Amino acid sequence: MSNQSEYAYHIEGGQPIVGEIKCLGAKNFVTKAMVAALLGDTPTVLTNVPPIGDVDITIEMLTSIGVNVQRTASNTLTIDPSTMNLSRVPTPHSGSNRIPILLLGALLHRFEKVSVPVVGGCKIGTRSVDYHLGAIEQFGGRVEDTDGGYIASRERPLKGTHIKLPYPSVGATETCLFAGVLAEGRTIISNAAIEPEILELITMLRAMGAIIFTSSGRDIRIEGVKQLNGTSMQVLGDRIEAASWACLACASDGDITVHGIRPDTLGNFLAYFQQVGGGVELAGPNSIRFFRKDALRPTIIETDVYPGFSTDWQQPFAILLTQANGISIIHETVYESRFGYLKALDKLGARTQLTTYCLGGTTCRYREMSHEHSAIILGPTPLMATDQPITIPDLRAGLAYVIAAAITEGTSIVTGIHYLERGYGNIVPRLAAMNLKIERVNVS
């Protein structure tokens, strides 16, 4: 993956953003689907694959262990795991996202010993892999934590088990699915994550021949099978991206129609969006028009696991709340250090305050702790560009900064865009196709 840290966005804001945009395939699904493809004995074809950095990194990881990956210009990936011949992931960039830990459970079916690099990703709080490692051990594997990463081994095939997750972690649920589908016997995952991307992954694994039952609660039952085959799967639209374009439309007093998104995957976002004054109109089976319907009102948001308000929605929504008339509150219950991006917003003219108190009623893991995980936002505040660049601290805050720059009077410089481009593709041409004046420039 090329080094993009010397590039920046120049954004001239202050005008309503109007137009149409197509949602790319979901980052939170596509890389997991690429790992799932390793469980099959025959090739898997993925379509609607987004042109993002995390896909490039995952391709490097897979090819480094012998997997044959073919990519076409039509955003299609063909993944053939039959050529896989290495159990050690050596790719230099593989420690920069969260995929390596998922490879442990998938590769242990094929190899008796697997090693992956240190797990990376955005610095948004503690993202422990204990749930993953504990799950692998329950399936009968052994895990060693080394300076260079994690080594998992087994003496016999993995065996089904009953895993009770302490928290409905998306990643840990995925590890359990990968380990359970080819394990001997029955696996029960209690308190599993049920995000749309998890249910889509289950659909893909079923298409490969896995036997997976879901319940009305958070239990998933897997009857292990001896073999899986490849399949063909279209990557669903990115619900995090779609919500971000909705916030851009409403915050700028614009009008954006988003294509390529299933409305059902947005869940409670639509309710909160309408509550603050946003307008929603279904423009087709997979298209939604977003606009500002009423004067913007303040609200209280508490992030939570699905079907709650996604933690990845709160950053663009915070930009929208800076334009609402009154005091709004965001209570973050998923990650404890997710509000670092607000400092840059305050420099643009936003008025925010962080507190360690739980400003909400949702059960929170960080109650009575010292983490600043609640934010108070006072609006409306006009945002004004400064001479200093806005530096992106993590992937999801990155698109929020682009939205902030789009509604800011003057020209803003957004740096650290390599974080953003890990998860969002073709940002400049897609936004320029509407009426945002944005360019990607070399600042080295």
Side-chain angles (χ1 to χ4, degrees), residues 182-364:
L182 289 172
E184 295 179 348
R186 175 177 296 173
T187 294
I188 304 291
I189 312 170
S190 295
N191 201 29
I194 55 172
E195 270 72 2
E197 294 81 9
I198 289 288
L199 298 181
E200 201 79 352
L201 185 61
I202 289 174
T203 297
M204 176 179 175
L205 291 170
R206 285 169 171 162
M208 296 174 70
I211 301 175
I212 306 173
F213 299 88
T214 56
S215 69
S216 58
R218 291 186 174 273
D219 283 356
I220 298 173
R221 175 165 60 92
I222 306 169
E223 302 291 344
V225 297
K226 294 185 180 297
Q227 178 185 356
L228 295 177
N229 294 312
T231 189
S232 181
M233 189 76 180
Q234 178 175 313
V235 177
L236 76 166
D238 195 317
R239 63 192 175 98
I240 309 303
E241 183 182 312
S244 299
W245 304 140
C247 292
L248 173 59
C250 194
S252 70
D253 198 11
D255 193 317
I256 298 176
T257 298
V258 180
H259 301 291
I261 184 68
R262 297 194 327 232
D264 60 289
T265 63
L266 290 172
N268 287 332
F269 172 83
L270 297 178
Y272 281 101
F273 184 75
Q274 291 172 299
Q275 187 178 55
V276 300
V280 175
E281 180 181 291
L282 297 183
N286 293 296
S287 299
I288 309 175
R289 175 184 168 226
F290 296 103
F291 53 97
R292 185 185 297 186
K293 184 178 181 180
D294 303 308
L296 298 184
R297 301 177 290 272
T299 191
I300 298 174
I301 290 175
E302 297 185 79
T303 67
D304 204 352
V305 295
Y306 196 86
F309 192 94
S310 170
T311 180
D312 289 335
W313 286 334
Q314 61 103 329
Q315 298 90 344
F317 215 91
I319 310 301
L320 176 56
L321 292 178
T322 66
Q323 305 307 302
N325 185 21
I327 299 173
S328 295
I329 291 172
I330 301 177
H331 178 211
E332 172 64 49
T333 74
V334 179
Y335 294 117
E336 76 275 22
S337 300
R338 196 130 213 207
F339 285 119
Y341 68 93
L342 291 180
K343 293 179 181 178
L345 291 187
D346 289 347
K347 291 178 181 179
L348 296 178
R351 297 174 64 186
T352 70
Q353 179 68 51
L354 297 179
T355 178
T356 60
Y357 291 101
C358 292
L359 299 183
T362 298
T363 300
C364 180

Side-chain angles (χ1 to χ4, degrees), residues 11-12 60 65 100 103 111 142 152 318 335 351 381 395:
I11 300 174
E12 184 178 335
E60 288 184 17
I65 58 176
L103 288 172
F111 302 103
R142 292 194 304 272
Y335 294 117
R351 297 174 64 186
T381 52
L395 189 156

Side-chain angles (χ1 to χ4, degrees), residues 62 175 192 317 410:
L62 300 191
T175 285
F317 215 91

Side-chain angles (χ1 to χ4, degrees), residues 28-206:
N28 286 349
F29 173 75
V30 64
T31 50
K32 321 303 176 61
M34 294 169 70
V35 175
L38 304 186
L39 298 168
D41 290 342
T42 55
T44 285
V45 177
L46 300 176
T47 59
N48 196 35
V49 175
I52 60 176
D54 266 10
V55 167
D56 296 334
I57 292 170
T58 306
I59 289 175
E60 288 184 17
M61 271 188 273
L62 300 191
T63 56
S64 72
I65 58 176
V67 178
N68 185 358
V69 182
Q70 299 294 325
R71 187 171 194 169
T72 67
S74 59
N75 295 325
T76 298
L77 282 184
T78 301
I79 301 171
D80 183 358
S82 66
T83 56
M84 182 165 48
N85 55 15
L86 294 175
S87 62
R88 179 180 178 274
V89 179
T91 308
H93 294 299
S94 61
S96 63
N97 74 2
R98 304 284 295 178
I99 296 304
I101 197 67
L102 297 178
L103 288 172
L104 288 180
L107 296 184
L108 266 181
H109 293 299
R110 187 178 295 255
F111 302 103
E112 293 184 353
K113 189 174 184 179
V114 179
S115 64
V116 299
V118 172
V119 175
C122 296
K123 296 177 176 61
I124 54 178
T126 302
R127 306 175 81 181
S128 174
V129 296
D130 290 350
Y131 299 165
H132 299 258
L133 306 184
I136 289 172
E137 290 178 344
Q138 279 194 244
F139 279 103
R142 292 194 304 272
V143 182
E144 180 183 356
D145 186 351
T146 70
D147 291 338
Y150 302 96
I151 299 174
S153 60
R154 60 173 175 82
E155 294 180 355
R156 55 188 62 86
L158 299 182
K159 295 187 70 66
T161 184
H162 186 181
I163 295 178
K164 299 178 181 179
L165 293 176
Y167 184 79
S169 158
V170 169
T173 300
E174 290 161 345
T175 285
C176 294
L177 286 168
F178 294 148
V181 288
L182 289 172
E184 295 179 348
R186 175 177 296 173
T187 294
I188 304 291
I189 312 170
S190 295
N191 201 29
I194 55 172
E195 270 72 2
E197 294 81 9
I198 289 288
L199 298 181
E200 201 79 352
L201 185 61
I202 289 174
T203 297
M204 176 179 175
L205 291 170
R206 285 169 171 162

Side-chain angles (χ1 to χ4, degrees), residues 385-402:
T386 70
D387 294 334
Q388 298 300 313
I390 309 171
T391 301
I392 294 173
D394 64 73
L395 189 156
R396 299 304 182 187
L399 195 51
Y401 281 2
V402 170

